[in-house]
Amino acid sequence: MDCLFCKIILGEVPAQVVSETEHTLAFRDINPQAPVHVLVIPKIHVPNFAALAEHPEALAAVAAQAAAVAKAEGVDASGYRVVFNTGSGAGQTVFHVHAHLLGGRGLNWPPG
Ligand code: AMP
Ligand code: ZN
């Protein structure tokens, strides 16, 4: 399968890894949209949020690591956002599910 994020998990494509657990990997977005912009992915290949919802353990692991990274990066007190772009109409470009963790600046609502 030709999946960029599976290649990052396998170490075939380099990434700035922030932290890793048995079931998840967190790494910095290559095109950051905020001072803190980290992607959190499950190590199993699932294409999107709907598919991740069918794997509750993986979903919980992604959520737990996003919260842990937010704390480690120091954005938990000021506030942060966790986003799953789902489908090309919502801006999804990589079809290995990933949570965007964004923080370190003011975040408008609603998002664009
Ligand atoms: P999305 O558009 O929601 O699918 O998010 C995909 C994200 O992956 C974008 O924010 C990209 O900047 C990011 N991205 C693409 N390639 C890489 C890479 N090699 N390493 C880190 N982040 C990447
Ligand atoms: Zn994948």
Side-chain angles (χ1 to χ4, degrees):
M1 191 192 312
D2 196 28
C3 171
L4 174 62
F5 288 177
C6 280
K7 287 179 181 167
I8 286 178
I9 290 164
L10 293 170
E12 294 173 6
V13 169
Q16 232 185 309
V17 173
V18 172
S19 61
E20 182 169 9
T21 71
E22 188 183 351
H23 300 294
T24 61
L25 185 70
F27 55 96
R28 297 197 190 282
D29 197 292
I30 205 167
N31 182 23
Q33 301 301 312
V36 174
H37 188 173
V38 174
L39 303 177
V40 182
I41 65 174
K43 288 184 176 174
I44 56 167
H45 178 89
V46 291
N48 57 33
F49 182 70
L52 183 61
E54 294 171 10
H55 297 272
E57 311 84 4
L59 174 60
V62 168
Q65 197 183 19
V69 171
K71 193 169 182 188
E73 295 281 316
V75 296
D76 54 324
S78 54
Y80 60 89
R81 190 167 290 161
V82 179
V83 178
F84 292 92
N85 293 331
T86 308
S88 51
Q92 186 175 4
T93 59
V94 177
F95 290 85
H96 180 131
V97 69
H98 47 283
H100 292 261
L101 166 65
L102 296 152
R105 64 168 171 82
L107 296 166
N108 294 329
W109 192 261

